[in-house]
Amino acid sequence: MRMLSNADLAQLLDKDIFHKISEAADSLHLETYVVGGYVRDLFLERPSNDIDVVVVGSGIEVAKAFRSRLSGKAALSVFKNFGTAQVKWHGHEVEFVGARKESYSHDSRKPHVEDGTLEDDQNRRDFTINALAVCLNKDRFGELVDPFDGIYDLQDGIIRTPLDPDITFSDDPLRMLRCIRFATQLKFYIEDETFDALTRNAERIKIISGERISEELNKIMMTPQPSRGFVDLHRCGLLQIILPELTALDLVETRNGRSHKNNFYHSLEVLDNVCEGNKPADGKEPASLWLRWATLLHDIGKAKTKRWDPVQGWTFHNHPYVGGKMIPAIFRRLKLPMDMKMKYVQKLVELHMRPIAIADEEVTDSAVRRLINDAGDDIDDLMRLCDADITSKNEVRKARFRENFRIVREKIADLKERDYKRLLQPVIDGNEIMQMFNLKPSREVGTLKQTLKDAVLDNKVPNEREPLMELLKQKASEMGLCNNETLK
């Protein structure tokens, strides 16, 4: 990071937008400061268009005066009940608020707010690196106000609360997640006393809504190395409350000298692999949020399915199926979307062993056709997850998997090119089957449809009407659904 003098800050803020705010504040004789994330990011040399401004007085009045000085289109929104205003101008979002002090009740994170000084406002900030303020008034333009030495915490890469961390986290438990999120995003370390307070106050997270929790989890998930955040969440006891299904995987058992791997840390390793510094191989886009969720939860069913077998050792039979069934409840509790995004995650969890099973044996066209059919448009993401899941320490085995995965990918590309997706649906559909055999929608119809579909997928018969009709009549006869007239 850069160490900046007041003169340096004044030069960095030498922009039309800040001079307009300065003029507006001086016209009303009100102390005004740019605070928080924008100032932090100046030192970290991170671009930002979100500007938070604190006014010792009415933030709304300064916002109005600022808006009146702007040329071109500028949108002003006033939130009188909260004493705040927002101005959008030339790609910037400027939030104005009056300096305030806050007090909290034990059962709510909503504070009692009253007017305060700049010192009061900085005291209520979550972390020292977010409590930095730079004066915008003309006679002190560029002057840094840093009562908690946040500049040195930025330099040392430390997350620390301005005041007693127990009070900070107990007052607003969401700050605990923000603490870990900032540490993950910035690759900072959480100061010891601050981290101990996370542990002491972890139970307080229960008063925070699922929506706010998932918002912070999603931000952690979208960092280049999200495992850092999930390890800290686990160490301080928050993850056990938020996502107990995941922490249940943090267990290694040994029996008769045979152990299974720690599936919690394995899941985090796979998650980091799929992110790969946001520069994935194959020239693809960075992993989406929902691919990351699917990756984090891909082995979530292993705690429920773990069994000891004297011959095989530890087994996790059907863990993809069991894990898939767990996804809706997890999404519902965390208030994550219950739409196609949830179904996408569920599908990838349920299918994540299929490419590995194919790659572990001879790669046949039939197996790949079935995989394409079941994965649909998500086949590339599924393959990406499975590739990330190759974490074996046996280099020979790892090399064999990667070579077989290359063959699987080539077959997928070849089958796509030949438009097998169109051919995977038999030319005889369910409506025709019901009409032929005088059936209503039923299990029998499903069995007949599946027979035709399996035959096409396994390349036993071409996807043509005549051979499929012969197969259909044969199967129907075995099920006792045919009479002599139908067989003609």
Side-chain angles (χ1 to χ4, degrees):
M1 62 159 275
R2 298 169 64 187
M3 290 301 290
L4 302 171
S5 66
N6 287 349
D8 293 329
L9 288 168
Q11 186 173 0
L12 287 171
L13 297 176
D14 186 17
K15 300 176 182 177
D16 192 33
I17 191 168
F18 291 110
H19 288 301
K20 297 291 188 189
I21 297 172
S22 179
E23 292 169 12
D26 286 344
S27 71
L28 296 168
H29 307 290
L30 294 174
E31 284 184 51
T32 300
Y33 302 83
V34 57
V35 299
Y38 190 89
V39 180
R40 177 197 69 223
D41 290 343
L42 282 178
F43 285 92
L44 294 177
E45 300 181 79
R46 286 160 39 114
S48 177
N49 289 324
D50 295 335
I51 302 168
D52 291 326
V53 173
V54 165
V55 178
V56 184
S58 173
I60 292 175
E61 291 306 311
V62 174
K64 290 178 178 177
F66 169 61
R67 169 64 184 87
S68 69
R69 286 167 165 75
L70 299 178
S71 59
K73 187 176 181 181
L76 169 67
S77 302
V78 175
F79 309 96
K80 197 169 183 179
N81 290 343
F82 298 96
T84 65
Q86 181 190 76
V87 176
K88 293 184 179 182
W89 185 63
H90 289 185
H92 293 282
E93 290 188 9
V94 190
E95 297 276 354
F96 292 85
V97 63
R100 59 192 186 184
K101 55 183 176 181
E102 299 174 342
S103 58
Y104 291 80
S105 61
H106 188 73
D107 60 349
S108 173
R109 64 177 291 266
K110 294 181 180 178
H112 171 70
V113 178
E114 53 187 301
D115 293 341
T117 63
L118 175 65
E119 180 183 5
D120 291 327
D121 202 89
Q122 289 178 296
N123 285 344
R124 73 179 183 83
R125 298 279 162 174
D126 48 10
F127 309 111
T128 59
I129 63 172
N130 292 335
L132 302 167
V134 178
C135 189
L136 294 179
N137 297 98
K138 186 176 181 180
D139 59 345
R140 294 171 54 209
F141 193 84
E143 179 184 313
L144 177 67
V145 183
D146 179 20
F148 306 111
D149 292 330
I151 191 67
Y152 296 110
D153 288 342
L154 271 179
Q155 190 175 21
D156 296 336
I158 290 173
I159 303 292
R160 179 170 60 90
T161 59
L163 303 178
D164 183 337
D166 284 306
I167 295 174
T168 297
F169 295 146
S170 181
D171 280 350
D172 184 356
L174 186 65
R175 290 170 176 164
M176 294 189 286
L177 294 182
R178 285 170 55 82
C179 176
I180 291 172
R181 189 250 293 178
F182 278 120
T184 308
Q185 286 179 327
L186 301 174
K187 295 186 178 180
F188 280 19
Y189 291 94
I190 301 169
E191 180 258 345
D192 288 346
E193 181 56 28
T194 299
F195 192 89
D196 290 343
L198 291 174
T199 304
R200 290 191 294 268
N201 291 277
E203 288 288 325
R204 289 282 288 154
I205 202 66
K206 291 179 179 177
I207 72 168
I208 302 298
S209 69
E211 290 92 343
R212 300 308 297 272
I213 289 172
S214 62
E215 183 180 343
E216 293 299 324
L217 290 180
N218 287 343
K219 290 177 180 178
I220 291 172
M221 195 77 82
M222 290 307 294
T223 61
Q225 192 182 357
S227 65
R228 290 176 60 108
F230 284 98
V231 168
D232 280 347
L233 286 169
H234 188 23
R235 285 175 54 227
C236 72
L238 283 167
L239 195 61
Q240 288 87 319
I241 299 168
I242 295 169
L243 200 48
E245 299 90 341
L246 188 60
T247 59
L249 301 177
D250 184 18
L251 178 67
V252 176
E253 287 192 66
T254 302
R255 192 175 293 188
N256 294 345
R258 301 170 74 176
S259 304
H260 62 80
K261 64 188 171 190
N262 185 307
N263 287 300
F264 173 73
Y265 288 100
H266 165 74
S267 296
L268 296 186
E269 182 181 0
V270 179
L271 177 59
D272 283 349
N273 286 346
V274 94
C275 298
E276 202 63 51
N278 276 348
K279 294 179 181 177
D282 306 325
K284 295 179 182 175
E285 292 295 315
S288 72
L289 173 62
W290 306 110
L291 175 55
R292 293 171 192 232
W293 270 108
T295 304
L296 178 69
L297 302 177
H298 78 282
D299 276 345
I300 203 73
K302 280 192 169 179
K304 289 187 175 182
T305 58
K306 184 172 72 172
R307 301 289 185 272
W308 169 257
D309 181 276
V311 177
Q312 295 178 284
W314 294 105
T315 67
F316 304 91
H317 294 314
N318 291 325
H319 78 269
Y321 173 79
V322 172
K325 294 299 180 187
M326 295 168 67
I327 299 303
I330 292 172
F331 268 54
R332 191 174 295 111
R333 187 178 70 243
L334 292 176
K335 298 296 189 290
L336 291 165
M338 297 298 294
D339 55 12
M340 295 306 295
K341 297 181 180 69
M342 183 276 290
K343 291 185 181 297
Y344 163 91
V345 171
Q346 187 176 34
K347 180 201 286 189
L348 263 58
V349 170
E350 289 177 347
L351 294 178
H352 80 271
M353 290 297 292
R354 288 272 296 279
I356 293 173
I358 292 172
D360 206 19
E361 301 170 358
E362 183 183 354
V363 182
T364 66
D365 280 2
S366 175
V368 175
R369 282 195 196 96
R370 287 177 173 277
L371 182 63
I372 293 173
N373 181 68
D374 292 342
D377 293 337
D378 302 317
I379 184 66
D380 291 337
D381 283 355
L382 176 63
M383 291 300 296
R384 187 166 169 183
L385 189 165
C386 294
D387 198 33
D389 199 16
I390 302 174
T391 59
S392 173
K393 300 299 183 281
N394 183 323
E395 292 301 324
V396 174
R397 178 175 169 79
K398 185 185 289 188
R400 178 166 59 84
F401 264 122
R402 293 210 182 280
E403 174 59 19
N404 283 4
F405 262 39
R406 184 188 64 77
I407 297 171
V408 171
R409 280 197 172 91
E410 285 181 356
K411 283 191 177 289
I412 288 172
D414 180 53
L415 292 174
K416 279 184 174 180
E417 188 175 336
R418 288 150 56 190
D419 198 19
Y420 264 87
K421 187 174 181 182
R422 176 178 56 82
L423 299 177
L424 289 178
Q425 293 301 324
V427 295
I428 301 173
D429 64 16
N431 289 329
E432 188 171 356
I433 291 171
M434 287 188 287
Q435 195 172 25
M436 280 181 63
F437 300 106
N438 196 26
L439 295 172
K440 293 181 179 180
S442 61
R443 181 178 297 177
E444 287 82 2
V445 176
T447 299
L448 292 171
K449 285 175 62 179
Q450 192 63 46
T451 298
L452 299 183
K453 191 170 188 177
D454 287 344
V456 171
L457 289 170
D458 293 334
N459 208 25
K460 291 179 179 177
V461 296
N463 192 10
E464 297 170 3
R465 186 171 186 80
E466 188 173 336
L468 283 177
M469 189 63 75
E470 288 301 316
L471 178 63
L472 179 62
K473 290 177 180 179
Q474 179 183 335
K475 182 64 177 179
S477 178
E478 293 172 4
M479 295 171 63
L481 298 175
C482 282
N483 54 38
N484 290 333
E485 285 299 314
T486 309
L487 290 173
K488 288 181 181 177

